[in-house]
Amino acid sequence: MQFEEKDIAYPPVHPGTDRTFIRFYGGEPDLNSIFYSSEEENSPQRIFVTDTNVASLKQMQPFVNFFRGENYSQPKIENGFIGTRGKDVLLILGSGEPFKTIESVLAICKAAIDSNAKRSAVFTGIGGGVITDMTAFAASIFKRGATCELVPTTLLSMVDAAIGGKTGCDFDSYKNMIGSFFPAQKIHIIPSFIQSLPENEYRSGMAEVVKTALLYSKELFEKLASKPEILQNRKDPLVEEMIKICVNAKAAVVEQDLTEKNIRMQLNLGHTFGHALETRAGLGKVSHGDAVAWGIARAAELSKKIGLCTENYVQTVKSALSSFGWETQPMHSALNGKFASEKEAALSLFEAMKKDKKNASNKVRFVLQEDVGETVITEVDEKDVLSVL
Ligand SMILES: NC(=O)c1ccc[n+]([C@@H]2O[C@H](COP(=O)([O-])OP(=O)(O)OC[C@H]3O[C@@H](n4cnc5c(N)ncnc54)[C@H](O)[C@@H]3O)[C@@H](O)[C@H]2O)c1
């Protein structure tokens, strides 16, 4: 497959993690051509990891069937499948957040150990953020650090999860509680993978796209705001363009601040409000993307409340979010009926934010904006936060 390549560099967190090559591919996914077109004698052993949904995609069959051998005619692909192709291994895990466990990470390590993998093996995650986070984590702990490559297949993993070296899994009902910083050596981005995504997964990724545009590309934000119908038309050329812009923007941020000591925190725009909503609505009741989009609207109102931005900025942001169908009012509908009053709901959301940020005082730190592209990180008093909920 033809590709364009760019690379980003950082101080290494581990030998071999000082550079990431990001490749953008046009056309249909063809993993055989990416990984097997040059039969180099000394090509490294690969431990491929994917999930049952991705392994079942039509465009994946020419690749997966090599590992299924004679079983390829059996339609169902089970969680736990392990197949080989020469020295390479394919492990298929269950799909979605419930499988983002330490057991799945250990299953990846075991598949590598059982195939006598050396530290030179390349752990290659093909999937959404769940698979890319766990494969990279397994790579970071296997024999104290193997190599990682990623093929993100959801919009969210292309523009966000796969870029920037945050790896991990959930533990004991806490999200991403265990993990490491371990940037991939190569990231293979094939935008056409998004054509098969379910509607809700595509919307979820779009919220991160709109967030990235607000932070780093006024031009992209204006294009998206004037074209909400791209939610229905993924073949629009703007879709591929927006993926590239968002990948490049996130790459530029993590290149400067891989371990989130300063500017990488900007990427949390909308997330403090959003996480609180996800927690208080009950995990899984509001999608992460819908929660972030609502959080962006609340962050805009809060920016105005503390005198950072104009009413015009707030209206521009809210009208773009509503045109994509996201809720922008103070109280999200997912909280209806959960609290005795709106005041109680607001207090509960604020408590969740304080807990999320482990903040003992009555202030919480927020990512806010003076305007599109002009971002500020600041602590805000409880009364101001409550006034926008
Ligand atoms: N490391 C980071 O910096 C970072 C950033 C953001 C999110 N994340 C993590 O990413 C995860 C969420 O990622 P996600 O939204 O990609 O979820 P996901 O990996 O669960 O994928 C969503 C669903 O889409 C399916 N799928 C994947 N690709 C598909 C395709 N091309 N066609 C059809 N179906 C497909 C998957 O099987 C799954 O059921 C969370 O665990 C989150 O913590 C990590």
Side-chain angles (χ1 to χ4, degrees):
M1 284 181 87
Q2 297 290 320
F3 60 83
E4 272 172 43
E5 184 174 74
K6 67 169 282 167
D7 67 310
I8 52 175
Y10 357 66
V13 289
H14 185 276
T17 60
D18 58 340
R19 195 166 282 266
T20 298
F21 292 88
I22 303 177
R23 293 180 173 179
F24 294 96
Y25 298 81
E28 288 294 305
D30 178 358
L31 299 194
N32 287 325
S33 128
I34 294 178
F35 296 111
Y36 292 100
S37 61
S38 60
E39 289 293 343
E40 295 162 30
E41 289 243 313
N42 295 323
S43 63
Q45 179 186 17
R46 283 189 187 266
I47 313 298
F48 290 104
V49 183
T50 190
D51 72 26
T52 47
N53 283 347
V54 176
S56 306
L57 295 173
K58 192 164 149 259
Q59 56 276 39
M60 285 290 289
Q61 296 321 297
F63 175 76
V64 171
N65 285 343
F66 269 104
F67 293 87
R68 297 183 83 197
E70 289 173 359
N71 294 324
Y72 79 88
S73 53
Q74 290 171 13
K76 196 153 166 45
I77 296 180
E78 305 280 355
N79 168 17
F81 168 90
I82 297 181
T84 54
R85 176 177 184 174
K87 60 187 184 308
D88 296 347
V89 177
L90 171 68
L91 168 65
I92 301 178
L93 297 169
S95 81
E97 198 70 29
F99 289 91
K100 198 178 179 187
T101 60
I102 192 71
E103 287 75 21
S104 295
V105 174
L106 295 179
I108 302 172
C109 293
K110 182 163 166 49
I113 293 164
D114 289 348
S115 67
N116 298 318
K118 301 197 181 74
R119 193 191 277 173
S120 56
V122 184
F123 286 54
T124 309
I126 307 163
V130 168
I131 290 294
T132 56
D133 276 12
M134 290 197 301
T135 308
F137 182 36
S140 78
I141 56 177
F142 182 75
K143 298 198 171 175
R144 300 194 176 81
T147 300
C148 172
E149 289 190 22
L150 299 173
V151 184
T153 62
T154 60
L155 179 56
L156 184 129
S157 59
M158 289 178 203
V159 300
D160 195 358
I163 319 281
K166 278 192 189 175
T167 85
C169 65
D170 303 335
F171 187 70
D172 211 12
S173 80
Y174 293 100
K175 263 197 83 159
N176 299 327
M177 188 44 78
I178 303 180
S180 57
F181 282 101
F182 197 78
Q185 203 172 73
K186 283 188 194 139
I187 303 172
H188 307 270
I189 297 184
I190 311 165
S192 63
F193 259 121
I194 65 159
Q195 300 304 334
S196 54
L197 274 183
E199 177 73 28
N200 60 332
E201 302 297 348
Y202 182 59
R203 279 180 67 82
S204 197
M206 275 308 290
E208 299 293 348
V209 168
V210 171
K211 176 203 79 179
T212 309
L214 276 169
L215 289 169
Y216 305 113
S217 173
K218 191 169 184 173
E219 194 187 338
L220 176 61
F221 178 74
E222 283 167 359
K223 279 190 190 171
L224 293 170
S226 67
K227 220 178 197 186
E229 64 274 15
I230 69 157
L231 257 192
Q232 269 70 51
N233 180 12
R234 302 180 202 177
K235 295 233 155 64
D236 191 309
L238 179 57
V239 172
E240 207 159 304
E241 185 187 334
M242 83 190 181
I243 292 174
K244 236 183 224 175
I245 292 173
C246 292
V247 168
N248 288 333
K250 182 154 184 197
V253 173
V254 298
E255 190 169 36
Q256 292 172 65
D257 179 24
L258 181 70
T259 52
E260 203 170 18
K261 297 214 166 54
N262 43 68
I263 62 160
R264 188 168 179 170
M265 288 179 204
Q266 294 177 348
L267 295 167
N268 291 326
L269 176 65
H271 283 64
T272 304
F273 284 104
H275 284 156
L277 174 62
E278 284 180 88
T279 307
R280 289 305 184 238
L283 280 180
K285 291 280 187 299
V286 192
S287 80
H288 179 68
D290 290 355
V292 167
W294 174 81
I296 292 171
R298 292 303 90 215
E301 292 279 16
L302 188 56
S303 301
K304 182 170 156 246
K305 173 75 194 165
I306 64 164
L308 286 177
C309 69
T310 61
E311 176 62 21
N312 187 32
Y313 164 83
V314 180
Q315 288 315 320
T316 308
V317 170
K318 282 172 49 176
S319 110
L321 295 169
S322 338
S323 68
F324 280 94
W326 284 305
E327 294 191 23
T328 61
Q329 78 282 13
M331 216 21 75
H332 195 280
S333 63
L335 298 174
N336 285 347
K338 285 198 161 272
F339 296 91
S341 65
E342 291 203 345
K343 188 169 174 221
E344 207 175 284
L347 282 168
S348 174
L349 285 169
F350 187 72
E351 280 310 306
M353 287 175 208
K354 275 202 331 192
K355 213 167 176 185
D356 189 27
K357 299 290 159 215
K358 292 161 202 69
N359 202 331
S361 80
N362 262 8
K363 287 184 177 216
V364 173
R365 196 190 296 176
F366 286 89
V367 181
L368 301 176
Q369 289 204 299
E370 292 173 344
D371 202 347
V372 180
E374 291 172 33
T375 306
V376 175
I377 298 179
T378 184
E379 291 201 327
V380 183
D381 279 331
E382 176 174 5
K383 69 170 179 12
D384 291 327
V385 180
L386 291 177
S387 75
V388 300
L389 288 169

